[in-house]
Amino acid sequence: MDCLSAWVWFFSLLSAASSCYNQKNVLFLIADDGGFEASVYNNTAIRSPNVDALGAMSTIFDRAFTSVSSCSPSRSSILTGLPTHQNGMYGLEHGTHHFRSFDDVRSLSMILGKAGYRTGIIGKKHVAPDYVYPFDYSKTEFDDPGMSMQFGRNITLIKELTEEFLDGCKNDSSPIFLYIGFRDPHRCGGPHGAFCEVWGSGGEHGVIPDWKPQYYKPEEVKVPYNVPDTPAARDDLTKQYTSISRLDQGIGLLVELFKKHGLINDTLIVYFRSVHPVAHWRI
């Protein structure tokens, strides 16, 4: 999906009357460094039942492109409808880079907030400054850097924070815009595994109660056309697929929450994947 198409969808919501439980809401889901690893994109090797279920009742875009295949730039384009040279987010927001959007840029959360939406973000944000990308409710790396992994990969915590946000909607007459920034299946490394696939899987790695890890054998994975079909690549993909199982189950939890709150039929669910360069495979 190009950013202009997405914005046409979103701006059509602004004419809706403002009641959280009988007008259009927006649940915006974004995977970190995701690709075509889902059955809806013809990868039958991976088990992604929740994304598949979402795809079965959705419009699927299979010709989607980004002007910059990098995290902060692609997120800024999605949230502003502008390419990076117009919104100012030329590179990564974090570390030594500290790229930021121009002060006069208007983001989706800003526009919807001014239009009466109650806005929230949970997980990875990775764009700045806050006054360009404001949210009424925020649980991100900017709010507590030490909780970055928890906010982005602990699907039980994400579920609980979403419940907290939705509970606040009960006493609010506004429609909602909730942005969930998953950190899966971005690379991780270290003791948590190449894709943090062992983080929260049990034992010394802790437990994410709502996650039932899915494991794969090297011969089961589908190697992308642009990656050498080697034992190392196949082993790497098994770890990525396990990380994706956490993402997929997280999406399922959120859909069920919106059903529980009676919002599912009045909510536009948009699922994006923030894509990084092919070199990110590091193989």
Side-chain angles (χ1 to χ4, degrees), residues 150-185:
Q150 296 285 351
F151 289 152
R153 297 188 196 264
N154 186 338
I155 60 174
T156 295
L157 179 61
I158 293 171
K159 178 189 72 173
E160 292 169 352
L161 294 175
T162 300
E163 184 91 68
E164 181 178 87
F165 176 78
L166 294 179
D167 284 343
C169 187
K170 293 178 180 177
N171 299 317
D172 192 330
S173 61
S174 304
I176 61 176
F177 169 62
L178 179 59
Y179 178 110
I180 305 292
F182 292 100
R183 285 188 174 270
D184 286 322

Side-chain angles (χ1 to χ4, degrees), residues 33-37 187 194-195 221-228 232-241 244 275-283:
D33 201 10
F36 293 105
E37 296 83 16
R187 279 195 178 274
F195 292 88
V221 303
K222 182 178 181 179
V223 180
Y225 73 91
N226 54 348
V227 174
R234 287 183 171 274
D235 180 67
D236 206 50
L237 283 165
T238 64
K239 298 176 174 65
Q240 184 201 37
Y241 281 23
I244 291 173
V275 181
H276 292 52
V278 172
H280 198 60
W281 279 94
R282 301 180 188 165
I283 294 176

Side-chain angles (χ1 to χ4, degrees), residues 81-142:
L82 300 172
T84 55
H85 66 274
Q86 289 185 311
N87 73 49
M89 187 71 71
Y90 295 102
L92 299 175
E93 181 278 329
H94 72 280
T96 59
H97 312 286
H98 292 299
F99 281 97
R100 297 156 64 89
S101 287
F102 299 130
D103 289 348
D104 60 349
V105 168
R106 296 187 302 162
S107 70
L108 182 59
S109 61
M110 176 190 293
I111 293 171
L112 291 180
K114 289 182 178 179
Y117 274 71
R118 183 168 182 261
T119 61
I121 180 170
I122 299 168
K124 186 173 182 177
K125 188 175 185 181
H126 213 204
V127 289
D130 282 343
Y131 52 80
V132 170
Y133 302 96
F135 288 87
D136 301 317
Y137 177 96
S138 180
K139 298 292 182 180
T140 75
E141 70 274 17
F142 292 98

Side-chain angles (χ1 to χ4, degrees), residues 2-5 7 65-91 99-102 104-106 127 132-133:
D2 61 72
C3 292
L4 178 59
S5 298
W7 275 60
F65 306 92
T66 179
S67 57
V68 179
S69 57
S70 182
C71 187
S72 299
S74 62
R75 290 169 190 265
S76 68
S77 293
I78 290 169
L79 285 170
T80 65
L82 300 172
T84 55
H85 66 274
Q86 289 185 311
N87 73 49
M89 187 71 71
Y90 295 102
F99 281 97
R100 297 156 64 89
S101 287
F102 299 130
D104 60 349
V105 168
R106 296 187 302 162
V127 289
V132 170
Y133 302 96

Side-chain angles (χ1 to χ4, degrees), residues 210-229:
D210 289 294
W211 180 36
K212 296 178 177 58
Q214 300 290 304
Y215 299 106
Y216 297 82
K217 298 177 181 178
E219 60 269 23
E220 293 178 314
V221 303
K222 182 178 181 179
V223 180
Y225 73 91
N226 54 348
V227 174
D229 191 348

